[in-house]
Every structure is written in C-alpha cells, then in structure tokens.
Amino acid sequence: MVAISSRGVMMFSASLLLLLPPPVAAAAAAPAAAAATAGTHCTSKCGNISIPFPFGVEPGCFRPGFNVTCADDMLLLHNISEIFDINLANGTLDIYVQRVDQSLPVPQTHDIGNWDVVGVGLDGGPYTLAAGRNKLVVIGCDVQALLMDVSEDVLSTCAAFCSPINKKLYQVASPDCSGVGCCQAPILAGLDVYLLQFRRFNGSWSGNQATVYIVDADLLSSYRMDEMQEAALPVVLEWVISNSTCQSNSTTAPECRSSNSFCKNSTAFRGGHRCHCSEGYDGNPYLVDGCKDIDECKFPEIYPCFGDCNNTIGGYLCQCPLGFEGDASVPTGCKDVDECVHPDAHSCYGICKNLPGSFQCQCPQGTYGDPTTKGGCITIKNSFPGSKIALVVSSGFILLIVALAAPFITHKIQLRRVKRLKEKFFKQNHGLLLQQLISQNTDIGERMIITLRELEKATDNFDKTREVGGGGHGVVYKGILNLHVVAIKKSKIVVQREIDDFINEVAILSQVNHRNVVKLLGCCLETEVPLLVYEFISNGTLYHHLHVEGAISLSWDDRLRIVLEVARALSYLHSSTSMPIYHRDIKSSNVLLDDSLTAKVSDFGASRYIPIDQTGVTTAIQGTFGYLDPMYYYTGRLTAKSDVFSFGVLTMELLTRKKPFVYRSGDGDGDGLVSHFSSLFREGKLADIIDPQVMEEGNGDIQEVAALAVVCTKLKGEDRPTMREVELILENLCAKMHNTSCTTPYSRDQILAQGVTQEVSRQYTMEEEIELSARYPR
C-alpha cells in the first residue's frame, strides 16, 4: 500500500514503517478501559464512513489501540492514514497511505552477493497485514527483492528485468505483473518483523531507479504505473480485539458482549481472537444486544424462499402456500395439489376443475344442485319434449329455484365445512382421549365438554385485553364462563409437541382433585389450537410475591405454610394417585396463590405418568435450569427424587429470596444457589444468605427448614427423602412451633372430593393407563 524508492536501504525502513500506525499497546494490556462502549455522545460517522465500536473518536468511546481521528470528513488512523472501510465481520481495516519520495536512484556499485537488510517492526499492536490480501510490488529494471523473516528465511521474492535496448516500463500494472519492468510477490501475514533485501544486477544501465509498493492485491489492476507513483494506494490491515486466545471450554469471551455472539481465534495473530455474531444474527458483537436477529425473509437472494416465508428468532421458516406442496426453498419447488385426483378428500362429486392452489366444483350439464355431496346433482326433467317454449319456461323456473336456494345451499355447505374442520381438529388433538374419559366417568365428561362458542363468548373472541399471562406452553386469558371467573390457556405455536403437552395436562389434571393443585374445569378440542379451562387464581405466582422490589415480601409464617402445601401436593401426586405422577417442572413461577395465599401447583404440560411397578423412566430432558435435578439432566432417568430436588431448590428460594436460575455467588467461585447454600449451611454461616426478613421473623425453625432443603438437594437421588417424608417433617415442625397456619385441616367436602377422585382414578385398568402414558410421551 505504500510506495518506496531509495538510493540506500535505510529509506526502505523509513517508508515501510509508515505501513502501520505508531506503536500502541495491545487491547488486552489495558483492562481498565475494556468497559468502554459506544455511548450516545460518541461520533458514529465521519463523512460517509461509519465508526463502529471498538473504534471511536472521543475518549471512552474506543478500546486501547482503536482510536481514530475525524478531520474534514476524513477518518484517519493515528492522524497518518486515511481509512476508507472498517469491516467488523472480517476484522479488516482498509486504509490509504500517501506516496513516499522516490527521487533517489538505486546504487550502481553493488556486487552479486552484497545484500542490504532492513528490519520492519510491527511492535505487537492490534494490527498486522491481512493474510492473502496484499502484494509486494517492485517496479524497475534489473532489480531483485526478497522478503524474509528474522531468521533470514525467504518468505517470497521477485525480480524485474528490462530490455537493454528499451528501458520503458509497461504502462498498466496487470494482476500477474510477470517480471518485465514489474514483478510481484505474496506477503505472509502475521509476523512482527519483516526483513526486506534487494539487489541490482551487474551491468545494469546507468540511472536505474526502482520503486517498491505494498498494495491491496484485489485493486492492483486498477492503477496505472505512472499513477501509482503519484497516488495514495490501498492496503488491507487485519486486527484482533485481544492478544489472548479463546478459552478452550467456552465459545465466548469478555469482549464478546452480545448474548448472541461467540469468540473465534484469528489465523493472523498468534494467540489473538475476535468476536462474531452467531448464525442467524448480524451486527456488532462488541456491544450489549449488538447482534440483532436477521429477518431472512427480507433477503430472498441470500435466504431463498419461493413460498410463504416467516421469520423466526435466529432463523426462518419457509413453506409452500395453501393448496401447494413440495420444497419451497427452490424455484418451482412448490407444486399445485390436484384436488380433483382425490374427490372424496375435497368433497367434489360433480365436475372438478383444478386451479392453481384451489379447485372448482360444479354439477354436470343437465343437472343442478350441490356438487359437494353424493347425489347432490339432480337431473333436470323436460316435461314437454320438443317444445322450445316449455324448455325456456322450465329453464327459467330452474334458474329461479337455484337463485332462491343458493343462499340456503351456500349456508349448508359452510356448515358442513365447519363441521368437517372441527372433526379434523378433534382427531388431530387426540379427541379419542376425551371420549375415553367420558366413557369411563360421566362426571368427568360432563364438566370437560366445552364448546368453542362458549369460550369465544367468555373472552370477547379472545380479546387482547383479556390476556393475563403466559408460560412455556401458551397464553392465558381471563374469562367469565357460567357466571364464574376462569382462566383459559391457548397454545402459541401449532406444533405436535405443544398439542401433546396440552393433552398430557388434560389426562393428568382430569384425574386429580387436591386443594393445592390447580383445578381443571374443562377443555375444547374443536380448534386447531387446543384450549384448557382452569379455575382462576387471582393472586399471581409465588415468584412475583417473592421477588418484589423492597425489603419486605411474604411473611415467614406464610412461606412456611406455602412450602408445606406444595409438599402436600407433590406427596399426593407421588403416592396417592392410582399411578404416580411426576411434575418435572416445580419452580416458584408454577406455584399460584389465591386470595388467602393458598398454594396451587400448576402447569402440568411436562408431567409424566410412571407405572407403579417402576421406580423411574428414561425421558427427554425437560425442566428449568437452576431447579433441574443434575442426575436427571446427565442420565435422562426421571424418578420421584427429581421432584424432590426441585422442591429443595424452591425451599432455598423461599429462605433466601434469590433466583436460582441466575444466582452466582460473589466469592470468586461463581457457585450456583444450591452449592453456595449447602456450603454456608455446613460452615454454620447461613445468616450470610438467608433473607433478613426471615431472620427477623423466624422462631427457631429456620435451621430445620434449611437442613431439609439441603438434604432434598443431595447429588444422589437415594440420599434424598421422599415427598411423603418431607410432608411429615414439615407438619411436625409446624406442630412443634405451634404454627396454626400450617396445620389447617381439610374441610369435609375437600376430603370427600379427594377420596372420590382417587376412586375414579383407580377404576382405570393398568393396561389403559400404560397405553395413555405411551401415547403421549414427553
């Protein structure tokens, strides 16, 4: 990128040093400035050149070594070289360097073997020549140049010769620059020091001159040789954000601040690295939230989609339009479905005509009626053969009848289509399961059957203002059904796994009736998205009550009672149903509280039946990190002790008001809530982590509850107690502390209802329940 001509070799040194900016410390050498970010006060553009972080103009707007200057709409690197492009993705910097004086001729008295050596230092800064992007170019006659490393090993060389008669050089520097008046050689990037050697061959003509350039190889053919000696030429530099390498056990680094970024080592720097946005994202990985999701649907030339394109987080979904099928990612990949090939599937018993994406159905000539039903086309009878008048009258009469009957026929067709669509969704949503429940127990059937019309009326057609929350399996609406306030859950995404989760929740909650388990009132399977109707719990989740702003949350008595009620619910699910039920996702956001702060365990979409002759089952991992049993996570084997572990974490959350899924200890080890809590318990330092409100209100029972939480979170499942044992321990603790809120007895109606539900559950045969569990695996 820089032109060099010299009578002596020291001019090579002075010229080549202009290739890079003045020496700067590496980015990793100043950690105090690593927190600099591109704030609102930082210059974001100079002329038509954008200035992305880590580059910046003002102090505090750049990382060390990446400061630039904006003067007269020109962006300069350390006030020397003009920058005309900054590429974050490739880690390159395109700059211009002004020409250097070239008036001195090459010495004429060198003998063969008399070499001049010049060292060019890059000083360990964040910049180096970009690999494979630049060329060493020599313009002259009878001159040879060699590029070597500090060990004097030759990296590349070239020689330029001229005719003894005609010493004129070619006027255009072609990319091959084959050796007549001009030669070029590749430059190995990534070295800290280069040695440049050159020589003049004996007998060269008097007044010989030679000029050396380093220039962007892609732009070499754009310059005439006579222009190269006057112009500032382009060169490509490469940089790294830090001289250290990426950690071997991690794909990120402190410099990669965006959550959708990763660390990648540079091939040009020994030990250096840069940050990149993850696949499906683009932007600046060195800023918080700098990597934004790419809307692939806006760039069909890069992400081809010849059907219906829908953007998703980190990707996109491409599918054929309605009435077409095939591969939507290739041209003409979506083929029209010929509905006329399958008349029964599309209800056409007349003349069927296929259309692009649709079809047309009509009665044959000489008939009229409804072609979408068998026998719907009626033959027109002529009462007066050969009579034109009779034909006209009868035709007019038929047309009048058709015109009068058309609205009724259309309405009938629409009703039949709606009916068929409901039947399709009913089968798709495993409606046979609901029919099985109805046949086994009339009471369940009567309260489970809810029509779509009723739910639309209850929610004002699922009005946006009726939304009261959402979870991992759908959106929750508040509605009024039969003068009762209810909660209606609707799936967000129509995929089979979501539907199976809903049906799994129906199968479980329809057989459960416990005062501490949210009550399922019914379901509707007439829509593409299944709907579930629950009792409305008005006081929100335990999570929102615990993690409120301020020092005061739920009282200790309420927390102790809530943890006992959750234990009762889990003990009932594990021990008192005809087939044990494991919840798999116990956490504070899945515990609802009513007006009296009574706990209600909810969200059974991830739950599983376990046959009573088995102690566990191997399943796909589901749950929430922070609450998830590590043995279940690593082995995939689900047991009752997996719920016990999650319950132990919930108890620690009640004691500390710390969020398990984001908690990290501040002692340098970065332990999670479970390991840190257990360590403090063993060291007798529980006061360091217990909620101050609990310490103030507790009356001697905190230590015992903490001990129970620790034993519930033992690494090995066999070292943990059962939920029945946990329930008894908490009830005895409440009785000992005379806490009446913990020992509130069940009412007679609740005991009877619970007993009836258990009897209903036991009416199912073992074969039916095993079939039910197998049909909807998690």
Side-chain angles (χ1 to χ4, degrees):
M1 173 168 108
V2 59
I4 305 169
S5 64
S6 174
R7 172 178 300 173
V9 294
M10 293 309 296
M11 279 301 295
F12 281 98
S13 175
S15 300
L16 286 176
L17 285 174
L18 290 177
L19 174 64
L20 295 178
V24 294
T37 58
T40 55
H41 68 286
C42 299
T43 301
S44 61
K45 201 167 187 179
C46 180
N48 60 351
I49 306 298
S50 297
I51 309 175
F53 186 81
F55 295 88
V57 176
E58 295 84 3
C61 296
F62 55 85
R63 286 180 61 85
F66 293 89
N67 56 303
V68 293
T69 304
C70 184
D72 298 328
D73 287 339
M74 292 178 58
L75 190 62
L76 303 177
L77 184 61
H78 296 283
N79 295 313
I80 295 177
S81 305
E82 179 186 355
I83 301 171
F84 64 92
D85 185 53
I86 299 175
N87 193 313
L88 289 183
N90 297 333
T92 58
L93 195 70
D94 292 358
I95 64 175
Y96 289 113
V97 173
Q98 296 295 328
R99 64 179 287 276
V100 178
D101 183 25
Q102 56 153 1
S103 62
L104 300 176
V106 173
Q108 302 178 23
T109 59
H110 284 296
D111 296 325
I112 295 177
N114 186 7
W115 301 89
D116 292 302
V117 181
V118 179
V120 182
L122 302 183
D123 300 296
Y127 303 101
T128 188
L129 293 176
R133 293 293 304 275
N134 304 287
K135 291 291 181 71
L136 178 69
V137 178
V138 179
I139 299 178
C141 291
D142 303 327
V143 176
Q144 182 180 19
L146 291 90
L147 199 65
M148 304 183 299
D149 60 15
V150 292
S151 301
E152 297 190 3
D153 292 330
V154 176
L155 303 177
S156 61
T157 180
C158 76
F161 298 91
C162 295
S163 169
I165 299 174
N166 186 2
K167 297 298 183 178
K168 279 191 174 182
L169 305 181
Y170 290 125
Q171 294 302 304
V172 178
S174 60
D176 55 350
C177 198
S178 58
V180 180
C182 169
C183 72
Q184 57 89 14
I187 300 176
L188 179 65
L191 299 183
D192 292 334
V193 175
Y194 293 94
L195 300 181
L196 178 63
Q197 296 183 349
F198 72 96
R199 59 170 288 192
R200 180 181 61 82
F201 295 104
N202 281 346
S204 63
W205 60 288
S206 176
N208 183 19
Q209 288 188 345
T211 308
V212 181
Y213 304 87
I214 298 178
V215 63
D216 184 351
D218 294 338
L219 302 179
L220 179 59
S221 61
S222 302
Y223 292 89
R224 295 167 55 90
M225 287 188 178
D226 53 352
E227 293 175 345
M228 292 177 70
Q229 300 182 18
E230 301 295 331
L233 300 178
V235 151
V236 184
L237 303 183
E238 185 173 347
W239 50 269
V240 291
I241 195 67
S242 172
N243 284 343
S244 63
T245 58
C246 302
Q247 298 179 9
S248 59
N249 61 347
S250 174
T251 60
T252 186
E255 296 82 8
C256 306
R257 306 193 64 191
S258 176
S259 58
N260 296 304
S261 66
F262 65 94
C263 173
K264 185 178 180 180
N265 291 328
S266 169
T267 57
F269 274 79
R270 298 185 182 93
H273 72 267
R274 288 191 295 272
C275 300
H276 302 269
C277 289
S278 302
E279 184 177 0
Y281 294 84
D282 192 19
N284 193 331
Y286 305 105
L287 298 177
V288 176
D289 296 329
C291 292
K292 305 296 184 182
D293 174 55
I294 299 173
D295 188 349
E296 291 85 355
C297 299
K298 293 182 179 180
F299 307 97
E301 67 281 359
I302 302 175
Y303 308 96
C305 181
F306 301 90
D308 295 330
C309 182
N310 295 295
N311 185 48
T312 61
I313 301 300
Y316 70 109
L317 179 65
C318 182
Q319 57 189 6
C320 291
L322 184 66
F324 294 83
E325 61 184 8
D327 186 359
S329 64
V330 297
T332 68
C334 292
K335 306 298 183 182
D336 175 50
V337 177
D338 189 350
E339 291 87 352
C340 298
V341 176
H342 306 287
D344 292 334
H346 299 91
S347 300
C348 183
Y349 300 94
I351 297 176
C352 181
K353 181 180 179 182
N354 187 48
L355 301 175
S358 182
F359 69 102
Q360 185 182 67
C361 185
Q362 58 188 11
C363 286
Q365 186 175 3
T367 64
Y368 72 95
D370 182 7
T372 63
T373 60
K374 285 187 178 182
C377 293
I378 304 171
T379 302
I380 301 173
K381 295 182 179 180
N382 192 346
S383 301
F384 305 98
S387 175
K388 295 182 179 180
I389 297 177
L391 179 61
V392 172
V393 173
S394 61
S395 299
F397 182 71
I398 291 173
L399 290 175
L400 179 61
I401 293 177
V402 172
L404 294 175
F408 301 100
I409 295 173
T410 303
H411 181 65
K412 182 179 179 181
I413 293 173
Q414 290 176 346
L415 290 179
R416 291 180 63 85
R417 287 180 177 175
V418 170
K419 182 180 179 181
R420 285 196 300 268
L421 193 60
K422 288 183 178 180
E423 291 174 351
K424 173 186 173 183
F425 290 148
F426 189 79
K427 293 179 181 179
Q428 174 181 304
N429 296 333
H430 305 292
L432 297 178
L433 171 63
L434 183 60
Q435 291 178 342
Q436 181 184 12
L437 293 176
I438 294 173
S439 64
Q440 294 289 339
N441 190 297
T442 304
D443 177 63
I444 293 178
E446 290 177 353
R447 66 183 176 87
M448 289 298 250
I449 299 175
I450 300 177
T451 65
L452 176 62
R453 182 183 181 88
E454 291 178 287
L455 297 186
E456 289 175 340
K457 182 178 179 181
T459 59
D460 292 337
N461 287 322
F462 298 100
D463 190 88
K464 193 75 174 176
T465 59
R466 293 297 189 100
E467 291 185 12
V468 294
H473 297 82
V475 180
V476 179
Y477 293 86
K478 181 180 179 181
I480 300 177
L481 186 65
N482 298 329
L483 302 181
H484 294 287
V485 180
V486 296
I488 302 167
K489 181 155 67 172
K490 180 179 182 181
S491 174
K492 292 179 181 177
I493 307 173
V494 184
V495 293
Q496 193 59 44
R497 176 180 169 182
E498 296 276 345
I499 295 174
D500 289 346
D501 288 343
F502 271 86
I503 303 307
N504 189 53
E505 195 160 359
V506 173
I508 290 175
L509 290 183
S510 65
Q511 303 176 61
V512 172
N513 189 7
H514 190 276
R515 73 189 301 265
N516 298 123
V517 177
V518 67
K519 186 176 182 181
L520 178 68
L521 301 179
C523 67
C524 175
L525 304 180
E526 295 179 355
T527 60
E528 184 176 10
V529 179
L531 305 173
L532 297 181
V533 182
Y534 304 88
E535 61 176 323
F536 184 77
I537 309 301
S538 59
N539 217 350
T541 67
L542 175 59
Y543 174 88
H544 290 106
H545 281 268
L546 278 178
H547 304 295
V548 294
E549 295 292 336
I552 302 301
S553 178
L554 293 170
S555 69
W556 170 240
D557 285 345
D558 284 334
R559 297 189 207 186
L560 186 57
R561 175 182 50 77
I562 289 169
V563 77
L564 173 57
E565 289 173 344
V566 174
R568 285 171 174 163
L570 291 178
S571 175
Y572 165 79
L573 294 173
H574 289 186
S575 308
S576 300
T577 56
S578 60
M579 186 179 291
I581 299 170
Y582 300 163
H583 189 281
R584 279 213 290 186
D585 199 15
I586 292 297
K587 56 184 178 181
S588 57
S589 58
N590 280 344
V591 177
L592 305 179
L593 300 178
D594 64 11
D595 291 333
S596 61
L597 295 181
T598 299
K600 304 276 189 176
V601 177
S602 68
D603 202 343
F604 283 77
S607 303
R608 280 295 304 268
Y609 282 112
I610 304 296
I612 57 178
D613 59 344
Q614 298 181 19
T615 58
V617 66
T618 301
T619 71
I621 306 302
Q622 275 194 257
T624 301
F625 281 105
Y627 299 88
L628 192 62
D629 176 12
M631 295 304 294
Y632 171 45
Y633 177 78
Y634 287 112
T635 66
R637 183 167 179 78
L638 176 67
T639 68
K641 300 302 180 69
S642 301
D643 280 352
V644 174
F645 184 92
S646 301
F647 174 83
V649 178
L650 176 64
T651 305
M652 292 180 181
E653 185 178 2
L654 282 166
L655 285 166
T656 64
R657 285 182 68 190
K658 309 293 185 186
K659 301 175 182 178
F661 49 86
V662 296
Y663 179 80
R664 288 291 181 272
S665 62
D667 58 3
D669 296 330
D671 290 337
L673 178 61
V674 173
S675 56
H676 193 212
F677 187 97
S678 301
S679 297
L680 293 177
F681 177 80
R682 289 191 298 269
E683 296 169 4
K685 297 179 181 179
L686 271 181
D688 293 349
I689 195 172
I690 296 296
D691 181 10
Q693 179 186 351
V694 172
M695 294 296 296
E696 181 179 346
E697 296 178 1
N699 55 359
D701 47 2
I702 299 174
Q703 189 73 16
E704 296 187 44
V705 175
L708 179 61
V710 170
V711 76
C712 286
T713 54
K714 290 285 189 180
L715 181 60
K716 294 183 178 180
E718 56 266 24
D719 295 338
R720 305 169 195 160
T722 65
M723 283 311 305
R724 179 56 180 160
E725 291 170 340
V726 172
E727 178 187 10
L728 293 175
I729 291 171
L730 289 172
E731 286 181 344
N732 290 337
L733 179 61
C734 286
K736 182 173 67 174
M737 296 299 171
H738 305 292
N739 191 333
T740 57
S741 65
C742 293
T743 57
T744 303
Y746 293 115
S747 68
R748 180 176 180 275
D749 292 340
Q750 291 167 335
I751 293 174
L752 289 175
Q754 183 170 323
V756 168
T757 301
Q758 294 178 22
E759 287 301 318
V760 169
S761 299
R762 298 183 188 277
Q763 289 177 8
Y764 293 102
T765 66
M766 182 65 67
E767 290 78 13
E768 288 172 326
E769 297 202 22
I770 292 175
E771 179 186 357
L772 183 65
S773 178
R775 184 176 300 175
Y776 308 107
R778 295 296 304 160

